[in-house]
Amino acid sequence: MTDVTHWLRAKAHGFNHLSNEEVDAISDFSLLWALFESRLLNSEGSSRAICDLVDGWQKDGTLDATSLDPELGYFRQRYFDSGAFTDHFGHLHLRRNDQEPLVRAVVDGSDNDPRNRVAAVLIIIFRYRNNLFHGVKWQYQLAGQLGNFATANAALMKMLDRHGALLEG
């Protein structure tokens, strides 16, 4: 356990209830998101930048939406159930610029366009980033987030492997 993790377990309410696996998934997410934003979004993370990135992949024929099918399946199960959006969907705190109609249509399955599927997955992950780094997830003491961060991490690694120019810079 690092000094920081030890300090958080002692000082941050609820953190001491997280498993090591949860702590690792959250820590890994922080590093993966920073790398993704640096390498693929030119350090300008936003839903618009994500859509522009995905449009570029579509244009150059490297989109590969099927590679994110497991992650999309997780998000659809978490955020849409029995014909309705779950309470979890509201906790994404989608903002005006976050392409909410697109995300809703992909999550409820009414839009299966490959470009939109990839964009929606990455926008949901972007919301995890904002909710973690701006403190919203701390309101829940980060409880119940293992699946979210493990899924986000898997998607980010896939996109970095495929598009990330990891040997550069």
Side-chain angles (χ1 to χ4, degrees):
M1 180 180 324
T2 69
D3 288 343
V4 171
T5 302
H6 181 73
W7 183 87
L8 286 167
R9 288 196 186 280
K11 305 284 184 171
H13 179 70
F15 197 86
N16 62 325
H17 297 297
L18 297 177
S19 69
N20 290 337
E21 187 178 24
E22 289 169 311
V23 171
D24 288 346
I26 294 163
S27 297
D28 292 347
F29 175 78
S30 299
L31 294 169
L32 285 168
W33 178 264
L35 183 61
F36 176 84
E37 188 170 333
S38 170
R39 300 295 172 142
L40 297 177
L41 297 175
N42 298 315
S43 300
E44 299 285 335
S46 69
S47 293
R48 178 75 262 149
I50 287 168
C51 289
D52 291 346
L53 177 70
V54 172
D55 288 342
W57 293 341
Q58 185 175 41
K59 182 178 178 182
D60 70 17
T62 63
L63 186 62
D64 190 22
T66 59
S67 69
L68 292 178
D69 282 350
E71 292 78 16
L72 177 57
Y74 172 86
F75 294 144
R76 282 179 168 167
Q77 182 179 33
R78 180 168 178 83
Y79 297 118
F80 193 79
D81 186 45
S82 302
F85 286 91
T86 66
D87 290 339
H88 294 297
F89 189 81
H91 293 285
L92 288 172
H93 300 283
L94 289 162
R95 300 165 308 160
R96 185 176 43 84
N97 297 329
D98 286 329
Q99 311 292 320
E100 184 171 349
L102 179 147
V103 174
R104 282 183 174 275
V106 169
V107 168
D108 73 13
S110 63
D111 182 348
N112 281 304
D113 178 79
R115 179 264 186 204
N116 293 343
R117 289 183 0 237
V118 172
V121 166
L122 294 176
I123 289 168
I124 290 169
I125 294 169
F126 176 65
R127 292 310 310 153
Y128 289 176
R129 174 257 188 229
N130 285 355
N131 293 342
L132 176 66
F133 295 163
H134 295 289
V136 173
K137 290 214 176 277
W138 282 93
Q139 293 171 359
Y140 307 103
Q141 288 85 42
L142 301 170
Q145 301 297 313
L146 178 60
N148 293 348
F149 286 113
T151 300
N153 291 345
L156 291 172
M157 287 186 292
K158 287 176 185 180
M159 295 299 96
L160 284 162
D161 278 341
R162 184 162 181 89
H163 305 284
L166 294 173
L167 298 179
E168 296 176 12

